[in-house]
Amino acid sequence: DGGITQSPKYLFRKEGQNVTLSCEQNLNHDAMYWYRQDPGQGLRLIYYSQIVNDFQKGDIAEGYSVSREKKESFPLTVTSAQKNPTAFYLCATQVSANNSPLHFGNGTRLTVT
Amino acid sequence: DAKTTQPPSMDCAEGRAANLPCNHSTISGNEYVYWYRQIHSQGPQYIIHGLKNNETNEMASLIITEDRKSSTLILPHATLRDTAVYYCIVRVATMPSGNTPLVFGKGTRLSVIA
């Protein structure tokens, strides 16, 4: 979706380093989500945020942290505590209305060596 | 875990209808069925969603059985660009109101063949 920007598209880091993935949206959507995808697998939820200054853990939050200081931004930090950080990370947004669809960015592929 | 069951892969001839099945036998009365697709190395794209009535839009049709335990996504005239992984999702109602996260399974890999 043109209104969701994930940068960079490819990111390389050394093991033991924290790294922050960016997600910015200009859709004025209230909710934002971070998913992780491993090869041949579906998406797994890391964190989500319904409103500014509030967020909840998803199914695989360990080793990750987020912040939601602005409506437009929901950065994800992959910490050194995440055992298998190499993956494809997807950010999504959603309007506040119930049952509205998710809109996804084009993802960041993180490789940690 | 995902609340839906889909075949891991399907083939479809170009120009023919692609019918993608999904079982969601434990769906509750207020849960919607959503369909997304993901082309390689891109973010998933929303296709359609419904509650109990059949739905149609410019991309596809969604047929939900009367007991709501299964559904079928129909791409009426599949093209090579429809080759993707298709996800059927039932919304997890973890809160009484407001947005709830979507739980993605592994989906169906549809290959459209020329």
Side-chain angles (χ1 to χ4, degrees), chain B residues 20-111:
Chain B
L20 291 90
C22 179
N23 287 321
H24 31 80
S25 58
T26 61
I27 193 171
S28 60
N30 62 349
E31 289 183 312
Y32 282 67
V33 180
Y34 291 80
W35 284 85
Y36 287 76
R37 73 179 183 184
Q38 186 178 24
I39 296 170
H40 183 64
S41 295
Q42 296 182 19
Q45 175 190 23
Y46 165 78
I47 301 173
I48 199 167
H49 74 285
L51 183 62
K52 55 182 178 181
N53 296 323
N54 298 337
E55 302 287 344
T56 296
N57 62 21
E58 65 279 4
M59 290 182 68
S61 294
L62 174 60
I63 308 299
I64 302 174
T65 58
E66 192 169 343
D67 63 8
R68 302 213 318 125
K69 292 185 177 182
S70 65
S71 61
T72 301
L73 179 75
I74 301 173
L75 308 179
H77 305 286
T79 70
L80 298 179
R81 287 178 295 179
D82 292 321
T83 293
V85 177
Y86 288 77
Y87 296 100
C88 169
I89 302 158
V90 167
R91 190 185 190 95
V92 177
T94 58
M95 291 182 282
S97 63
N99 291 319
T100 55
L102 295 179
V103 178
F104 288 76
K106 295 183 180 180
T108 295
R109 183 173 298 277
L110 175 68
S111 298

Side-chain angles (χ1 to χ4, degrees), chain A residues 71-91:
Chain A
K71 188 175 186 178
E72 302 78 20
S73 179
F74 191 41
L76 173 74
T77 297
V78 184
T79 75
S80 57
Q82 169 50 235
K83 300 301 181 188
N84 297 293
T86 294
F88 188 45
Y89 290 87
L90 287 156
C91 175

Side-chain angles (χ1 to χ4, degrees), chain A residues 58-78:
Chain A
D59 299 321
I60 55 165
E62 185 176 352
Y64 299 97
S65 65
V66 294
S67 62
R68 188 84 187 278
E69 298 176 0
K70 301 185 300 181
K71 188 175 186 178
E72 302 78 20
S73 179
F74 191 41
L76 173 74
T77 297
V78 184

Side-chain angles (χ1 to χ4, degrees), chain A residues 6 21 34-36 46 64 76 85 87-90 107-108 110:
Chain A
Q6 289 190 246
L21 281 61
W34 275 105
Y35 287 89
R36 167 186 172 136
I46 305 173
Y64 299 97
L76 173 74
F88 188 45
Y89 290 87
L90 287 156
T108 292
L110 173 65

